[in-house]
Amino acid sequence: MIRSATVYDVPRIQEIINSHAELGRMLFKSLAQLYEDLRDFAVYEEEGQILGCVGLTIIWADLAEVRSLAVDGNHQGRGIGKKLVEWTFAEARRLHIRKLMSLTYEQRFFEKLSFEVVPKDSLPLKVWSDCVRCPKREGCDEIAMVRVLEDVPVVELPAATPTPKGVSIPVLEYAEED
Ligand SMILES: CC(C)(COP(=O)(O)OP(=O)(O)OC[C@H]1O[C@@H](n2cnc3c(N)ncnc32)[C@H](O)[C@@H]1OP(=O)(O)O)[C@@H](O)C(=O)NCCC(=O)NCCS
């Protein structure tokens, strides 16, 4: 079963994410980050056990990011990751958001879910705000992938850009000055 995450799930979500982060497959998450972003998260639960998680973060009117997708190492290859990404499709449809993106090393997995590789610089700057916390920020090797939900109508976008002037986005040069 997939359901929205609650505070009770957070320690287990952290355990699953950080077990993969230790192997360099994704970024570590602190409890503070997870509580702050909790409304973005869904979990996969089986017989009372949380076996996977995913987050869907809204970037802009026409773009949301699939984040923190992780399946318990003992339960990979059972279709749980696919179901979690499908939850993000349903959630994006509920919100009328047409495009989903992911920054990932799992190109084949996301291709099976109809994501396509896009140039990294085609994504708005806002997407890169996590980079300051990434140990690989000097040589980022993640692949940017996008999936368009064709059945969601195109919205008329506000004139402003996704990274408004005057809003502080922690870009890399800024981080290095500290
Ligand atoms: C990537 C991950 C989420 C996939 O979850 P999963 O539950 O193991 O994957 P599923 O069983 O749902 O696989 C769905 C399909 O993708 C394929 N697939 C899964 N992982 C794959 C991989 N690494 N390479 C190629 N194909 C893969 C499966 O074979 C399956 O194909 P099918 O539909 O033809 O049978 C999981 O392995 C994981 O947690 N990895 C570590 C963390 C990570 O890299 N997260 C992604 C961050 S963006």
Side-chain angles (χ1 to χ4, degrees):
M1 163 177 111
I2 295 188
R3 59 166 174 79
S4 294
T6 73
V7 286
Y8 295 113
D9 304 317
V10 168
R12 177 68 178 137
I13 291 173
Q14 186 192 37
E15 186 178 60
I16 298 174
I17 290 176
N18 288 356
S19 70
H20 293 300
E22 276 163 16
L23 302 173
R25 293 192 189 131
M26 58 199 301
L27 286 181
F28 284 95
K29 288 280 176 188
S30 68
L31 289 175
Q33 286 173 299
L34 292 172
Y35 286 122
E36 190 176 318
D37 295 340
L38 186 56
R39 263 187 295 220
D40 288 346
F41 270 86
V43 290
Y44 180 92
E45 184 178 357
E46 200 174 85
E47 293 171 5
Q49 246 201 315
I50 304 301
L51 301 182
C53 61
V54 70
L56 184 70
T57 301
I58 300 170
I59 304 293
W60 196 239
D62 62 347
L63 183 65
E65 180 178 358
V66 178
R67 283 189 179 174
S68 303
L69 171 66
V71 175
D72 181 313
N74 295 321
H75 294 270
Q76 285 172 313
R78 291 182 41 204
I80 296 174
K82 181 178 173 187
K83 287 197 182 91
L84 285 163
V85 175
E86 284 169 351
W87 174 86
T88 69
F89 296 163
E91 186 66 358
R93 286 191 173 100
R94 183 181 74 77
L95 294 159
H96 299 285
I97 294 177
R98 188 173 150 85
K99 203 159 62 179
L100 291 124
M101 53 145 294
S102 175
L103 297 169
T104 186
Y105 301 115
E106 295 290 348
Q107 181 176 341
R108 283 294 303 133
F109 169 79
F110 279 98
E111 277 172 352
K112 288 200 162 188
L113 288 154
S114 303
F115 281 75
E116 286 175 8
V117 176
V118 295
K120 282 185 195 166
D121 58 10
S122 68
L123 299 172
L125 185 59
K126 191 171 185 283
V127 168
W128 306 105
S129 59
D130 261 358
C131 298
V132 281
R133 289 191 284 262
C134 179
K136 294 187 181 171
R137 61 178 181 257
E138 301 300 340
C140 172
D141 52 358
E142 285 191 317
I143 301 158
M145 300 188 74
V146 161
R147 154 101 201 237
V148 176
L149 300 174
E150 300 290 349
D151 54 316
V152 176
V154 176
V155 286
E156 196 174 320
L157 293 177
T161 64
T163 309
K165 285 196 178 105
V167 173
S168 172
I169 300 292
V171 291
L172 301 185
E173 301 82 60
Y174 175 85
E176 279 156 13
E177 275 167 23
D178 281 348

